PDB file of all heavy atoms in Angstrom:
ATOM      1  N   ARG A   1       1.847  25.769   8.966  1.00 93.00           N
ATOM      2  CA  ARG A   1       3.110  26.531   9.061  1.00 93.00           C
ATOM      3  C   ARG A   1       3.567  27.002   7.725  1.00 93.00           C
ATOM      4  O   ARG A   1       4.119  28.084   7.602  1.00 93.00           O
ATOM      5  CB  ARG A   1       4.153  25.682   9.747  1.00 93.00           C
ATOM      6  CG  ARG A   1       3.897  25.378  11.234  1.00 93.00           C
ATOM      7  CD  ARG A   1       5.066  24.765  11.926  1.00 93.00           C
ATOM      8  NE  ARG A   1       5.457  23.540  11.362  1.00 93.00           N
ATOM      9  CZ  ARG A   1       5.426  22.345  11.987  1.00 93.00           C
ATOM     10  NH1 ARG A   1       4.936  22.308  13.212  1.00 93.00           N
ATOM     11  NH2 ARG A   1       5.824  21.282  11.382  1.00 93.00           N
ATOM     12  N   GLU A   4       1.793  30.147   6.599  1.00 95.00           N
ATOM     13  CA  GLU A   4       2.186  31.330   7.312  1.00 95.00           C
ATOM     14  C   GLU A   4       3.575  31.797   6.924  1.00 95.00           C
ATOM     15  O   GLU A   4       3.779  32.953   6.782  1.00 95.00           O
ATOM     16  CB  GLU A   4       2.147  31.051   8.843  1.00 95.00           C
ATOM     17  CG  GLU A   4       0.719  30.819   9.323  1.00 95.00           C
ATOM     18  CD  GLU A   4       0.741  30.441  10.788  1.00 95.00           C
ATOM     19  OE1 GLU A   4       1.729  30.369  11.439  1.00 95.00           O
ATOM     20  OE2 GLU A   4      -0.396  30.139  11.318  1.00 95.00           O
ATOM     21  N   SER A   5       4.531  30.878   6.853  1.00 96.00           N
ATOM     22  CA  SER A   5       5.939  31.283   6.661  1.00 96.00           C
ATOM     23  C   SER A   5       6.288  31.353   5.194  1.00 96.00           C
ATOM     24  O   SER A   5       7.184  32.061   4.827  1.00 96.00           O
ATOM     25  CB  SER A   5       6.889  30.276   7.342  1.00 96.00           C
ATOM     26  OG  SER A   5       6.838  28.991   6.644  1.00 96.00           O
ATOM     27  N   ARG A   8       9.184  26.003   2.644  1.00 97.00           N
ATOM     28  CA  ARG A   8       8.858  24.577   2.486  1.00 97.00           C
ATOM     29  C   ARG A   8       9.188  23.827   3.758  1.00 97.00           C
ATOM     30  O   ARG A   8      10.089  24.193   4.525  1.00 97.00           O
ATOM     31  CB  ARG A   8       9.686  23.980   1.330  1.00 97.00           C
ATOM     32  CG  ARG A   8      11.086  24.063   1.537  1.00 97.00           C
ATOM     33  CD  ARG A   8      11.877  23.609   0.272  1.00 97.00           C
ATOM     34  NE  ARG A   8      12.481  22.336   0.501  1.00 97.00           N
ATOM     35  CZ  ARG A   8      12.575  21.366  -0.385  1.00 97.00           C
ATOM     36  NH1 ARG A   8      12.071  21.502  -1.586  1.00 97.00           N
ATOM     37  NH2 ARG A   8      13.100  20.151  -0.069  1.00 97.00           N
ATOM     38  N   GLU A  10      10.040  19.958   5.127  1.00 98.00           N
ATOM     39  CA  GLU A  10      10.388  18.595   4.806  1.00 98.00           C
ATOM     40  C   GLU A  10      10.061  17.712   6.020  1.00 98.00           C
ATOM     41  O   GLU A  10      10.511  17.931   7.093  1.00 98.00           O
ATOM     42  CB  GLU A  10      11.903  18.575   4.515  1.00 98.00           C
ATOM     43  CG  GLU A  10      12.304  17.316   3.753  1.00 98.00           C
ATOM     44  CD  GLU A  10      13.743  17.456   3.162  1.00 98.00           C
ATOM     45  OE1 GLU A  10      13.915  18.371   2.371  1.00 98.00           O
ATOM     46  OE2 GLU A  10      14.578  16.664   3.604  1.00 98.00           O
ATOM     47  N   LEU A  11       9.259  16.702   5.777  1.00 98.00           N
ATOM     48  CA  LEU A  11       8.827  15.817   6.867  1.00 98.00           C
ATOM     49  C   LEU A  11       9.768  14.657   6.998  1.00 98.00           C
ATOM     50  O   LEU A  11      10.654  14.418   6.180  1.00 98.00           O
ATOM     51  CB  LEU A  11       7.456  15.293   6.534  1.00 98.00           C
ATOM     52  CG  LEU A  11       6.344  16.397   6.341  1.00 98.00           C
ATOM     53  CD1 LEU A  11       4.996  15.766   6.030  1.00 98.00           C
ATOM     54  CD2 LEU A  11       6.247  17.344   7.476  1.00 98.00           C
ATOM     55  N   PRO A  13      11.201  10.741   7.008  1.00 98.00           N
ATOM     56  CA  PRO A  13      10.962   9.683   6.108  1.00 98.00           C
ATOM     57  C   PRO A  13       9.729   8.792   6.473  1.00 98.00           C
ATOM     58  O   PRO A  13       9.445   8.673   7.644  1.00 98.00           O
ATOM     59  CB  PRO A  13      12.223   8.807   6.194  1.00 98.00           C
ATOM     60  CG  PRO A  13      13.295   9.787   6.706  1.00 98.00           C
ATOM     61  CD  PRO A  13      12.585  10.743   7.574  1.00 98.00           C
ATOM     62  N   MET A  14       9.027   8.336   5.421  1.00 98.00           N
ATOM     63  CA  MET A  14       7.749   7.595   5.697  1.00 98.00           C
ATOM     64  C   MET A  14       7.715   6.418   4.691  1.00 98.00           C
ATOM     65  O   MET A  14       8.345   6.422   3.635  1.00 98.00           O
ATOM     66  CB  MET A  14       6.594   8.466   5.471  1.00 98.00           C
ATOM     67  CG  MET A  14       6.435   9.642   6.366  1.00 98.00           C
ATOM     68  SD  MET A  14       5.019  10.591   5.880  1.00 98.00           S
ATOM     69  CE  MET A  14       5.398  12.138   6.609  1.00 98.00           C
ATOM     70  N   PRO A  16       5.583   4.280   1.802  1.00 97.00           N
ATOM     71  CA  PRO A  16       4.731   4.663   0.730  1.00 97.00           C
ATOM     72  C   PRO A  16       3.304   4.956   1.201  1.00 97.00           C
ATOM     73  O   PRO A  16       2.619   5.883   0.752  1.00 97.00           O
ATOM     74  CB  PRO A  16       4.813   3.605  -0.273  1.00 97.00           C
ATOM     75  CG  PRO A  16       6.138   2.952  -0.039  1.00 97.00           C
ATOM     76  CD  PRO A  16       6.318   3.030   1.428  1.00 97.00           C
ATOM     77  N   GLU A  18       2.132   5.708   4.226  1.00 98.00           N
ATOM     78  CA  GLU A  18       2.084   6.980   5.036  1.00 98.00           C
ATOM     79  C   GLU A  18       2.176   8.213   4.108  1.00 98.00           C
ATOM     80  O   GLU A  18       1.472   9.190   4.385  1.00 98.00           O
ATOM     81  CB  GLU A  18       3.196   7.018   6.059  1.00 98.00           C
ATOM     82  CG  GLU A  18       3.085   5.979   7.116  1.00 98.00           C
ATOM     83  CD  GLU A  18       4.273   5.776   7.994  1.00 98.00           C
ATOM     84  OE1 GLU A  18       5.423   5.859   7.485  1.00 98.00           O
ATOM     85  OE2 GLU A  18       4.130   5.577   9.218  1.00 98.00           O
ATOM     86  N   ARG A  19       3.045   8.197   3.116  1.00 98.00           N
ATOM     87  CA  ARG A  19       3.157   9.349   2.207  1.00 98.00           C
ATOM     88  C   ARG A  19       1.931   9.608   1.496  1.00 98.00           C
ATOM     89  O   ARG A  19       1.477  10.723   1.313  1.00 98.00           O
ATOM     90  CB  ARG A  19       4.322   9.121   1.252  1.00 98.00           C
ATOM     91  CG  ARG A  19       5.701   9.236   1.920  1.00 98.00           C
ATOM     92  CD  ARG A  19       6.841   9.358   0.873  1.00 98.00           C
ATOM     93  NE  ARG A  19       6.769   8.373  -0.157  1.00 98.00           N
ATOM     94  CZ  ARG A  19       7.364   7.189  -0.118  1.00 98.00           C
ATOM     95  NH1 ARG A  19       8.045   6.820   0.948  1.00 98.00           N
ATOM     96  NH2 ARG A  19       7.255   6.361  -1.177  1.00 98.00           N
ATOM     97  N   ILE A  21      -1.168   9.006   2.452  1.00 98.00           N
ATOM     98  CA  ILE A  21      -2.057   9.652   3.426  1.00 98.00           C
ATOM     99  C   ILE A  21      -1.780  11.131   3.519  1.00 98.00           C
ATOM    100  O   ILE A  21      -2.673  11.974   3.493  1.00 98.00           O
ATOM    101  CB  ILE A  21      -2.052   8.979   4.800  1.00 98.00           C
ATOM    102  CG1 ILE A  21      -2.629   7.537   4.666  1.00 98.00           C
ATOM    103  CG2 ILE A  21      -2.840   9.787   5.810  1.00 98.00           C
ATOM    104  CD1 ILE A  21      -2.426   6.658   5.914  1.00 98.00           C
ATOM    105  N   VAL A  26      -2.808  16.953   2.364  1.00 98.00           N
ATOM    106  CA  VAL A  26      -2.288  18.239   1.906  1.00 98.00           C
ATOM    107  C   VAL A  26      -3.120  18.718   0.669  1.00 98.00           C
ATOM    108  O   VAL A  26      -3.362  19.926   0.563  1.00 98.00           O
ATOM    109  CB  VAL A  26      -0.794  18.160   1.546  1.00 98.00           C
ATOM    110  CG1 VAL A  26      -0.278  19.421   0.901  1.00 98.00           C
ATOM    111  CG2 VAL A  26       0.026  17.915   2.835  1.00 98.00           C
ATOM    112  N   ILE A  29      -5.918  21.160   1.283  1.00 97.00           N
ATOM    113  CA  ILE A  29      -5.619  22.466   1.837  1.00 97.00           C
ATOM    114  C   ILE A  29      -5.256  23.465   0.726  1.00 97.00           C
ATOM    115  O   ILE A  29      -4.320  23.239  -0.012  1.00 97.00           O
ATOM    116  CB  ILE A  29      -4.441  22.402   2.880  1.00 97.00           C
ATOM    117  CG1 ILE A  29      -4.774  21.375   3.980  1.00 97.00           C
ATOM    118  CG2 ILE A  29      -4.125  23.758   3.439  1.00 97.00           C
ATOM    119  CD1 ILE A  29      -3.630  21.075   4.833  1.00 97.00           C
ATOM    120  N   ASP A  30      -6.032  24.468   0.538  1.00 97.00           N
ATOM    121  CA  ASP A  30      -5.736  25.501  -0.458  1.00 97.00           C
ATOM    122  C   ASP A  30      -4.469  26.265  -0.133  1.00 97.00           C
ATOM    123  O   ASP A  30      -4.219  26.613   0.974  1.00 97.00           O
ATOM    124  CB  ASP A  30      -6.932  26.481  -0.545  1.00 97.00           C
ATOM    125  CG  ASP A  30      -8.156  25.911  -1.131  1.00 97.00           C
ATOM    126  OD1 ASP A  30      -8.048  24.946  -1.924  1.00 97.00           O
ATOM    127  OD2 ASP A  30      -9.321  26.415  -0.819  1.00 97.00           O
ATOM    128  N   GLY A  31      -3.665  26.479  -1.160  1.00 97.00           N
ATOM    129  CA  GLY A  31      -2.509  27.277  -0.995  1.00 97.00           C
ATOM    130  C   GLY A  31      -1.194  26.455  -0.754  1.00 97.00           C
ATOM    131  O   GLY A  31      -0.132  27.073  -0.674  1.00 97.00           O
ATOM    132  N   VAL A  32      -1.308  25.161  -0.583  1.00 98.00           N
ATOM    133  CA  VAL A  32      -0.083  24.372  -0.375  1.00 98.00           C
ATOM    134  C   VAL A  32      -0.154  23.130  -1.297  1.00 98.00           C
ATOM    135  O   VAL A  32      -1.226  22.773  -1.808  1.00 98.00           O
ATOM    136  CB  VAL A  32       0.102  23.879   1.031  1.00 98.00           C
ATOM    137  CG1 VAL A  32       0.398  25.043   1.986  1.00 98.00           C
ATOM    138  CG2 VAL A  32      -1.060  23.127   1.558  1.00 98.00           C
ATOM    139  N   GLY A  38      13.739  12.077  -2.395  1.00 97.00           N
ATOM    140  CA  GLY A  38      14.646  11.102  -1.782  1.00 97.00           C
ATOM    141  C   GLY A  38      14.469   9.751  -2.313  1.00 97.00           C
ATOM    142  O   GLY A  38      13.679   9.504  -3.264  1.00 97.00           O
ATOM    143  N   VAL A  39      15.264   8.806  -1.690  1.00 97.00           N
ATOM    144  CA  VAL A  39      15.226   7.388  -2.200  1.00 97.00           C
ATOM    145  C   VAL A  39      14.847   6.531  -1.010  1.00 97.00           C
ATOM    146  O   VAL A  39      15.333   6.772   0.107  1.00 97.00           O
ATOM    147  CB  VAL A  39      16.691   7.042  -2.676  1.00 97.00           C
ATOM    148  CG1 VAL A  39      16.700   5.592  -3.168  1.00 97.00           C
ATOM    149  CG2 VAL A  39      17.111   7.980  -3.869  1.00 97.00           C
ATOM    150  N   PRO A  41      14.981   3.771   1.710  1.00 95.00           N
ATOM    151  CA  PRO A  41      13.866   3.919   2.696  1.00 95.00           C
ATOM    152  C   PRO A  41      13.776   5.360   3.265  1.00 95.00           C
ATOM    153  O   PRO A  41      13.014   5.564   4.218  1.00 95.00           O
ATOM    154  CB  PRO A  41      14.215   2.924   3.759  1.00 95.00           C
ATOM    155  CG  PRO A  41      15.707   2.952   3.832  1.00 95.00           C
ATOM    156  CD  PRO A  41      16.190   3.197   2.391  1.00 95.00           C
ATOM    157  N   ALA A  42      14.532   6.317   2.729  1.00 97.00           N
ATOM    158  CA  ALA A  42      14.549   7.626   3.355  1.00 97.00           C
ATOM    159  C   ALA A  42      13.650   8.590   2.494  1.00 97.00           C
ATOM    160  O   ALA A  42      13.831   9.871   2.550  1.00 97.00           O
ATOM    161  CB  ALA A  42      15.976   8.201   3.420  1.00 97.00           C
ATOM    162  N   VAL A  46       7.605  16.619   1.088  1.00 98.00           N
ATOM    163  CA  VAL A  46       7.906  18.016   1.237  1.00 98.00           C
ATOM    164  C   VAL A  46       6.660  18.817   0.975  1.00 98.00           C
ATOM    165  O   VAL A  46       6.030  18.582  -0.049  1.00 98.00           O
ATOM    166  CB  VAL A  46       9.104  18.432   0.298  1.00 98.00           C
ATOM    167  CG1 VAL A  46       9.369  19.857   0.482  1.00 98.00           C
ATOM    168  CG2 VAL A  46      10.312  17.593   0.553  1.00 98.00           C
ATOM    169  N   VAL A  48       5.046  22.484   0.240  1.00 98.00           N
ATOM    170  CA  VAL A  48       5.473  23.723  -0.313  1.00 98.00           C
ATOM    171  C   VAL A  48       4.249  24.643  -0.560  1.00 98.00           C
ATOM    172  O   VAL A  48       3.177  24.140  -0.688  1.00 98.00           O
ATOM    173  CB  VAL A  48       6.213  23.535  -1.658  1.00 98.00           C
ATOM    174  CG1 VAL A  48       7.533  22.766  -1.486  1.00 98.00           C
ATOM    175  CG2 VAL A  48       5.323  22.865  -2.679  1.00 98.00           C
ATOM    176  N   LYS A  49       4.494  25.908  -0.533  1.00 97.00           N
ATOM    177  CA  LYS A  49       3.435  26.831  -0.839  1.00 97.00           C
ATOM    178  C   LYS A  49       3.121  26.801  -2.344  1.00 97.00           C
ATOM    179  O   LYS A  49       4.036  26.751  -3.160  1.00 97.00           O
ATOM    180  CB  LYS A  49       3.862  28.287  -0.464  1.00 97.00           C
ATOM    181  CG  LYS A  49       2.709  29.246  -0.371  1.00 97.00           C
ATOM    182  CD  LYS A  49       3.070  30.487   0.388  1.00 97.00           C
ATOM    183  CE  LYS A  49       1.876  31.428   0.505  1.00 97.00           C
ATOM    184  NZ  LYS A  49       2.129  32.591   1.206  1.00 97.00           N
TER     185      LYS A  49
END
Side-chain angles (χ1 to χ4, degrees):
R1 290 190 302 245
E4 292 174 4
S5 70
R8 61 187 254 139
E10 199 167 297
L11 305 179
M14 300 178 199
E18 292 169 322
R19 287 195 310 272
I21 292 170
V26 171
I29 303 170
D30 290 334
V32 294
V39 179
V46 178
V48 296
K49 195 162 184 180

